[in-house]
Amino acid sequence: MSTSTHPSADAIRNGGTVTDRLVEANAEYASGFTDPGMDARPVQRVAVVACMDARLDLHAALGLQLGDCHTIRNAGGVVTDDVIRSLTISQRALGTRSVMLVHHTNCGLESLTEDFRHELEDEVGQRPAWAVEAFRDVDQDVRQSMQRVRTSPFLLHSDDVRGFVFDVTTGLLREIDPSDETETDPT
């Protein structure tokens, strides 16, 4: 048994990669795996859109179990066209009715700007087709994401769309009032 503090350190020390360690972990997982007999329809009929930040353990933080929800993650938890695509499939083909948006404190997108795209263009010679979706006010960005979900013509259910900010230091959610248009001074 390893005494290292992080399992991926062993794989790297032994000449492997982190991906090699993950594949090994999957083999161990699969050796004791039993098909739970579920289908792709979430039991709780909810889709959770959240940031990809590694500090967010959504299932633990929300008390969810395997099969309870659809989880859609990206940088910032921003509602992009691809998130709308996933939510549309989640609702229309797989029966979800509720949407929960989870942004968080100290998000990396708060320190970026759209200049990131220009820097990439300078480096690789091609501008990305996507927007960075950087923001300065997490509460306002949650409101914008709620509005994008609520106004999408592709979604069947927009009556139960709620947005939250997860505090990465306390683990608590703070609900965002969609009608509160008060913006904090970004300076």
Side-chain angles (χ1 to χ4, degrees), residues 48-178:
V48 178
V49 178
C51 185
M52 65 186 192
D53 192 294
R55 296 171 290 180
L56 276 66
D57 183 350
L58 288 174
H59 278 74
L62 302 176
L64 295 167
Q65 300 297 316
L66 181 66
D68 280 349
C69 73
H70 285 158
T71 306
I72 304 162
R73 295 181 80 157
N74 67 19
V78 177
V79 176
T80 61
D81 286 344
D82 194 58
V83 168
I84 293 294
R85 171 188 158 273
S86 294
L87 287 173
T88 301
I89 292 166
S90 178
Q91 287 189 357
R92 291 181 175 265
L94 298 166
T96 60
R97 298 188 58 85
S98 300
V99 178
M100 182 176 190
L101 306 171
V102 181
H103 287 40
H104 65 91
T105 58
N106 302 318
C107 184
L109 284 186
E110 292 175 295
S111 63
L112 291 177
T113 67
E114 290 300 320
D115 287 340
F116 183 78
R117 290 175 69 221
H118 302 294
E119 293 164 5
L120 280 172
E121 181 180 16
D122 290 345
E123 181 182 327
V124 303
Q126 180 178 343
R127 179 179 282 184
W130 39 263
V132 174
E133 298 275 358
F135 55 87
R136 295 197 186 274
D137 181 337
V138 67
D139 291 16
Q140 187 57 33
D141 200 62
V142 171
R143 283 187 203 93
Q144 176 178 297
S145 290
M146 284 190 282
Q147 184 66 16
R148 286 179 178 173
V149 172
R150 286 188 172 127
T151 60
S152 173
F154 305 110
L155 299 176
L156 294 171
H157 307 287
S158 59
D159 54 323
D160 188 12
V161 177
R162 294 171 63 187
F164 301 84
V165 174
F166 177 86
D167 187 313
V168 297
T169 60
T170 67
L172 290 173
L173 289 175
R174 178 173 50 83
E175 188 159 8
I176 302 302
D177 182 347

Side-chain angles (χ1 to χ4, degrees), residues 9-57:
D10 286 337
I12 294 168
R13 249 193 318 277
N14 295 327
T17 66
V18 173
T19 303
D20 292 333
R21 196 211 48 88
L22 297 176
V23 171
E24 289 171 14
N26 173 257
E28 185 176 327
Y29 169 79
S31 70
F33 183 79
T34 303
D35 180 358
M38 299 176 186
D39 70 13
R41 295 176 185 274
V43 173
Q44 300 289 331
R45 299 177 71 178
V46 62
V48 178
V49 178
C51 185
M52 65 186 192
D53 192 294
R55 296 171 290 180
L56 276 66
D57 183 350

